[in-house]
Amino acid sequence: MLDPKITIWNNVTYADNYYQRQIPEGDKKAIRGKLLTGVDNNQELEKWAGFDPAKESDNAHRAAVSWYAGTANLNESHVSDEKQQVFRRLGDLLVEGFSSDDKDKSWFVPGHVNANFPHGDENAPWEGIGTGWFYSVNGGGDDLRSYFVNGEKKSRDDLGDFKEFQDYLKKNRRSVSDDNTYTNNKIQVGTRMRGDHAVSSLFNGNFDVFAGKSDAQAKSKIPGWFVENDSGNQPLQKDLVRWHNINTFKEDGNDYLNRIGYNETKPNYALFLRTSQATEVVHNNFVVPEWGDLRFNLLAPAERGKLKVIIETPPSGIGETDWQSTTLETIDLSEGASGKLNQYKQDIYKIGFGREGGFETFHVPIDDRYRGKTARLRFKLESSNPAGVFLDDVFFSSAHLKFGNPSEARFDSRVPGDNPYRENLLIEKPQYAVSYNRTTKTPNWVSWQVNNAWLGKASRPEQTIFKKDSQLPQGWPEIDHDNYTDKNGKNFGFDQGHVIPSRDRTNHEKDNIATFLGTNLIPQSVDNNRYFTSKTDPAKASAWYNIEGLVRRLVAQDKQELYVVAGTYSTNWTDQKRSNAHPEEVLRGNTKSGEFQKQGIHIPRWTWKTILALDTPGMGVADVTENTKAYTFLTPNKPEPYKNWPEIGSPVAHPFNQIKDKLGLSEPLPDIQNATEWRDPSTWQVTIEQLEKLLQGKKINTLSSVPEDIRQHIKKQKYSIT
C-alpha cells in the first residue's frame, strides 16, 4: 500500500510544517521530512541540537515530535515517551556535551509576527513560547500567526481584507472533497485504490488496496477485512481475482469489460467466495454512516446457494463478549429474477444481469438504529452444493450520487405528517436515486449513471404501466397507473412520463422494470415526451425525446460515462391541448388537468435535465477538471404552439423570456423560428448556474462533491452538443 499525497485541505485555517530530513542510518523504510508547498509556515529543524546525526537507534522524526511537544508543555526537559532531551536553554546544551559557542543550536525562539529574534539570541524567550503549538487556537497565538509568502514573513493583516485572504487560502488549499489517493498511472495501482469518496464510506470496500500478489503475500489478510480463526473458511489475498481472469468475462459474446472500458494493465480485483475454500468475509469495525444504503456488486455465474448480508454490533451488556448479529438481507443466488413488472418486489434480491452479463448492483437499506454506531459487516455464502460468487464495491453510497446529493435528501421511515423529509425523501435503488415529494406526489429529481454496461437489448414490460413503489414508507401516497387514468382505463391527456427513461436501463429486464415505478412518474405532455413520426429524425420528435437520444449517443458512440440528474419546476393545472404535433394525439382534444388537481398530483410546468459527461467509465470526482463538459436543458411541459406547425416559418416568442429574470438572463432571447428549432435541444439549453437560480427555492446544488472552483467554472459553461 502507498501513502496518499500530503495535501493542505481547505478546512485547515493554518498549516505549519516542522520537519527533519535525516532518518536513522540504515533505515530504508522511514520517509524523510520535507518542505511542503502551500504551507503557511515551513520550519526545518535539523540544524539544531539532537537532530544531526540521526542515529540508527533513533526513531525516525523522534526529535521533531519532541520539539513540537516542547512548545505545548513548557515545563518538561524530556519528552517521556520519546526519552528525548528538550534543548531549551544553554544549560541543556552543556549537559549534552555542546559548548557555549553552540547557543544557536538551542531549540526555541518566538517566531510570531511581533517577534524578530535571530535563532540563539540570548535575550529571546527560551521556554518554547511564541512558536509551534502557540499558533493553535488553544495555544492562544492564532492572532499572531506568521505567513511566509515568497520567503517573506507576513501577518494576517498583511495578506489583505477578507476577500484577499480567501484568495490566498484558495490558492494554497484543496477541497476536502478531493481524492488524494495515490494515483501513479504508470504502474498497476493508480486510481484502482480509490474508494467511493475521498474518505471511503467503507475502507477497501473495492478490495483493491492490498500489498501485492507474491507467494508470501497471498496468505496475508486483506486490508480492512479480517479472519476470525484458522479454519480456512475466510478469505485471504489469494482469494482476490482480477476481473479479466473471471471465466464469465472470457466467454464468447460477453463484452462486458470492453463496454465499461476495462484496462488489463490497471486491473480491478473482486473477492471470490466459494464453498470449496473461503465462504465468508467480515469487515473490520467501522462507524455506520449517517445516511446511504449499503450497496455492493455481485457476479453469480452458478445458480446455487444464497448470500447472507449480516450486520454485527458490539456487546451491549456488562460481562458480555459476543457480538450481536442481524441478517439484513439474503440474496438468492439460485433463482434468477423474472424481469416481470408484477414481480418487481420479489425480484429485488434475485440475480438478473449478474448471472451472465457482468457485475450487478444490490442495495440494502440500513435501519436508523445502526446509524453513527460501531458495527461489523459479514457476507456469508451458504450452499449444500458447490457454489461461488464474486463480491466487489462494498460501500454505503449510491453510484448514482457519486457527484453529490442535489438537495441533501434523506430517507426517513416516519409517516408524512411526522417526517422532516416529506418533501425531500431519498429513495436509493440499484438503478437510480430519487428525491420524492409527498406534497407534489412526484419526484423532485432523479439521478442516475449511464454507461454501456446499462445498455443492452432488454425489452420493456408487455404492459407499459406504472406500479406502486414498495420502497415508500408506510402511510405515503402510492401513485401508479390508476392515478393517471379514469375508471375505463383512458388517460387524462398526459403521458405517464419517465424521469429516468426505460431506454437507459436495457441491460436486463429486472433493471428496466425498475423505471416503471410511481416514484419515477410525472404527468408529461405528449409534445414534451415522444417522437412524432420518426425515431431517427430529430425534426420529427420532441426536444425531450432528442435529449434522451443525446444521452445514448454520448454513451454508445462516444463511449462516455454520464451522470444525469433530471427533475421538474413549477405547477400548471390548466387544461391544454393533448398535442399539436403527434398525428394521432392532435385529434383527441384537450387534457383533463383537473383530475390531477383533485388528487393533488402536480403537473410540471417545466422539465429539466443536466448531464455530466466523463470521457471514460470509472472516472471519479478527482478526474473532473475545468475541461469536463456538462449539458443542461429546460423544456416547457406543454404542447407545441401551433397545430401541425411547419418545419419552417411561423416564429414564436421564446418561452424563456417569461422567466428571464428567474434564469438570470440579461436580454430577451430571439424568437423560435419554426418547429425544427422548437424540437432542437440546443434551443432549450441553459447553464447549470441558470437552472439552479431558477430552482433556488428547492435548494438544488448539483455536482456538490466536485471541488468548488471547478464546480463553479463548469456551472457557468454552455457546451455545444453538435
Side-chain angles (χ1 to χ4, degrees):
M1 293 186 291
L2 298 167
D3 287 332
K5 179 182 178 181
I6 297 173
T7 302
I8 314 302
W9 303 111
N10 62 1
N11 61 354
V12 174
T13 58
Y14 185 69
D16 43 346
N17 173 40
Y18 308 96
Y19 64 97
Q20 66 182 93
R21 296 179 188 274
Q22 297 102 327
I23 58 175
E25 296 175 6
D27 190 341
K28 297 181 180 180
K29 295 182 179 180
I31 299 174
R32 297 179 185 274
K34 62 180 180 180
L35 180 145
L36 300 176
T37 57
V39 164
D40 305 312
N41 186 351
N42 275 295
Q43 285 196 36
E44 184 179 342
L45 308 175
E46 58 198 37
K47 57 188 176 183
W48 303 333
F51 287 90
D52 185 21
K55 302 181 180 64
E56 187 174 356
S57 60
D58 287 347
N59 293 321
H61 313 296
R62 183 190 71 173
V65 173
S66 298
W67 180 92
Y68 192 84
T71 69
N73 186 337
L74 306 181
N75 298 317
E76 295 295 331
S77 59
H78 289 79
V79 177
S80 57
D81 290 344
E82 300 294 342
K83 298 179 181 179
Q84 166 69 50
Q85 172 71 47
V86 177
F87 294 93
R88 297 186 191 277
R89 297 167 293 184
L90 180 58
D92 297 326
L93 293 169
L94 296 176
V95 168
E96 292 295 318
F98 292 92
S99 72
S100 58
D101 294 331
D102 292 322
K103 58 186 178 181
D104 61 341
K105 293 185 180 295
S106 61
W107 276 11
F108 302 118
V109 65
H112 58 76
V113 293
N114 290 341
N116 295 293
F117 298 101
H119 203 90
D121 190 327
E122 294 180 354
N123 296 316
W126 48 264
E127 296 94 334
I129 62 174
T131 188
W133 188 73
F134 170 79
Y135 294 126
S136 69
V137 173
N138 288 336
D142 51 312
D143 290 337
L144 298 175
R145 290 169 174 170
S146 297
Y147 297 83
F148 287 84
V149 180
N150 298 324
E152 182 181 354
K153 184 166 74 172
K154 294 179 177 292
S155 68
R156 162 65 183 82
D157 291 339
D158 292 335
L159 296 176
D161 59 19
F162 177 80
K163 182 180 183 303
E164 291 171 319
F165 185 62
Q166 293 304 308
D167 290 341
Y168 165 83
L169 292 178
K170 183 177 179 180
K171 180 180 178 181
N172 292 285
R173 303 291 192 267
R174 286 182 62 186
S175 169
V176 292
S177 63
D178 285 3
D179 192 338
N180 67 328
T181 305
Y182 184 80
T183 54
N184 186 343
N185 290 321
K186 295 181 180 179
I187 59 177
Q188 283 189 358
V189 284
T191 56
R192 71 172 175 82
M193 294 176 67
R194 289 178 177 161
D196 55 335
H197 296 295
V199 178
S200 295
S201 58
L202 196 71
F203 172 68
N204 199 22
N206 55 8
F207 300 104
D208 290 330
V209 178
F210 60 94
K213 295 289 288 184
S214 68
D215 292 340
Q217 293 161 338
K219 296 181 180 180
S220 299
K221 297 178 182 180
I222 302 170
W225 303 83
F226 74 96
V227 179
E228 292 176 305
N229 50 53
D230 297 325
S231 63
N233 67 330
Q234 293 207 38
L236 301 171
Q237 291 189 28
K238 63 183 177 62
D239 298 296
L240 298 175
V241 182
R242 300 181 184 192
W243 281 19
H244 59 271
N245 288 334
I246 297 174
N247 288 334
T248 300
F249 300 145
K250 296 179 180 180
E251 295 176 358
D252 292 341
N254 188 306
D255 62 345
Y256 175 73
L257 296 184
N258 180 57
R259 287 160 63 189
I260 63 172
Y262 182 84
N263 185 345
E264 290 189 15
T265 65
K266 301 172 185 176
N268 196 327
Y269 289 82
L271 174 63
F272 188 24
L273 295 175
R274 54 203 186 278
T275 51
S276 60
Q277 293 190 40
T279 58
E280 59 184 309
V281 65
V282 184
H283 195 279
N284 291 350
N285 301 3
F286 64 94
V287 176
V288 180
E290 294 296 333
W291 68 279
D293 285 355
L294 170 65
R295 59 109 168 173
F296 50 90
N297 293 341
L298 295 179
L299 177 69
E303 297 181 358
R304 304 185 193 96
K306 56 187 177 182
L307 183 69
K308 285 189 173 181
V309 184
I310 301 167
I311 193 167
E312 300 176 346
T313 53
S316 56
I318 298 175
E320 294 183 8
T321 58
D322 294 335
W323 285 57
Q324 305 301 309
S325 297
T326 302
T327 299
L328 297 175
E329 282 297 344
T330 300
I331 311 300
D332 186 347
L333 305 177
S334 59
E335 184 178 354
S338 69
K340 297 184 181 298
L341 186 56
N342 60 3
Q343 294 292 308
Y344 167 75
K345 185 175 181 179
Q346 293 87 333
D347 279 352
I348 289 176
Y349 297 113
K350 294 180 181 179
I351 301 296
F353 181 70
R355 182 71 75 206
E356 298 176 350
F359 278 96
E360 177 180 354
T361 300
F362 288 83
H363 275 229
V364 175
I366 301 297
D367 193 277
D368 287 344
R369 70 178 183 271
Y370 299 117
R371 299 292 185 186
K373 305 292 180 60
T374 299
R376 298 192 311 213
L377 192 63
R378 183 185 300 268
F379 290 87
K380 186 175 183 179
L381 176 64
E382 295 182 351
S383 177
S384 57
N385 297 308
V389 62
F390 295 92
L391 172 68
D392 206 352
D393 296 324
V394 184
F395 295 115
F396 285 88
S397 63
S398 169
H400 310 298
L401 299 176
K402 179 186 287 189
F403 294 93
N405 181 333
S407 60
E408 292 302 321
R410 297 289 187 271
F411 181 80
D412 191 305
S413 60
R414 284 173 282 186
V415 296
D418 299 330
N419 199 315
Y421 294 100
R422 58 184 170 273
E423 294 187 348
N424 192 24
L425 184 77
L426 179 64
I427 301 175
E428 297 176 81
K429 300 179 183 295
Q431 298 82 11
Y432 53 91
V434 181
S435 164
Y436 193 71
N437 192 317
R438 163 64 179 83
T439 300
T440 65
K441 298 181 181 177
T442 59
N444 297 312
W445 51 260
V446 179
S447 183
W448 67 99
Q449 175 200 68
V450 196
N451 57 38
N452 267 316
W454 287 107
L455 305 182
K457 298 180 180 179
S459 57
R460 292 159 64 101
E462 293 181 5
Q463 283 188 300
T464 54
I465 61 175
F466 280 74
K467 292 289 187 180
K468 297 178 175 65
D469 190 343
S470 58
Q471 206 170 332
L472 280 170
Q474 187 174 2
W476 282 65
E478 297 177 321
I479 305 300
D480 65 6
H481 167 81
D482 293 340
N483 297 95
Y484 281 61
T485 57
D486 63 21
K487 60 183 179 181
N488 297 316
K490 294 183 178 180
N491 68 48
F492 297 134
F494 286 90
D495 282 350
Q496 297 177 45
H498 292 77
V499 182
I500 169 177
S502 71
R503 288 185 295 167
D504 282 1
R505 291 292 179 261
T506 54
N507 59 332
H508 192 276
E509 284 77 8
K510 174 185 173 182
D511 295 312
N512 187 263
I513 63 173
T515 68
F516 287 87
L517 298 175
T519 49
N520 184 45
L521 173 62
I522 60 171
Q524 197 162 3
S525 171
V526 171
D527 291 2
N528 186 42
N529 186 34
R530 303 191 208 176
Y531 71 90
F532 306 132
T533 57
S534 172
K535 291 183 178 181
T536 57
D537 184 353
K540 293 178 171 55
S542 68
W544 192 259
Y545 183 89
N546 291 329
I547 293 167
E548 292 180 346
L550 170 67
V551 168
R552 284 179 287 279
R553 174 175 65 80
L554 292 173
V555 171
Q557 295 181 18
D558 297 349
K559 311 300 182 185
Q560 293 185 333
E561 181 169 88
L562 309 182
Y563 288 83
V564 186
V565 185
T568 64
Y569 170 71
S570 191
T571 300
N572 179 18
W573 276 315
T574 305
D575 285 347
Q576 54 187 274
K577 290 286 188 68
R578 285 175 176 250
S579 173
N580 274 330
H582 194 283
E584 296 176 3
E585 296 292 341
V586 162
L587 306 175
R588 294 179 179 171
N590 292 343
T591 63
K592 297 180 180 179
S593 303
E595 297 299 325
F596 289 100
Q597 188 171 11
K598 290 177 185 177
Q599 302 177 80
I601 299 174
H602 288 227
I603 301 172
R605 190 179 296 272
W606 298 87
T607 50
W608 57 266
K609 180 174 291 186
T610 183
I611 305 163
L612 180 71
L614 304 180
D615 290 338
T616 56
M619 296 177 71
V621 172
D623 302 302
V624 176
T625 70
E626 291 186 350
N627 295 321
T628 302
K629 293 182 179 180
Y631 309 95
T632 305
F633 306 92
L634 176 69
T635 62
N637 189 39
K638 65 179 184 179
E640 291 188 354
Y642 299 118
K643 182 178 179 180
N644 299 321
W645 195 7
E647 294 178 13
I648 56 173
S650 303
V652 296
H654 200 303
F656 281 0
N657 294 336
Q658 300 171 14
I659 52 173
K660 178 174 70 70
D661 293 340
K662 292 182 178 180
L663 284 172
L665 300 177
S666 57
E667 298 290 339
L669 297 181
D671 291 349
I672 298 174
Q673 296 300 310
N674 48 53
T676 301
E677 278 193 23
W678 185 278
R679 298 166 187 174
D680 185 346
S682 62
T683 299
W684 308 104
Q685 205 168 354
V686 294
T687 66
I688 298 178
E689 184 177 68
Q690 290 169 336
L691 175 66
E692 291 183 352
K693 180 177 176 61
L694 180 71
L695 301 175
Q696 59 185 350
K698 293 189 175 184
K699 299 180 180 179
I700 298 295
N701 180 23
T702 59
L703 307 181
S704 58
S705 295
V706 175
E708 184 178 2
D709 55 339
I710 297 175
R711 178 173 74 246
Q712 295 304 328
H713 176 83
I714 293 174
K715 286 185 176 184
K716 295 178 185 297
Q717 309 307 310
K718 188 187 295 184
Y719 296 97
S720 171
I721 60 175
T722 56

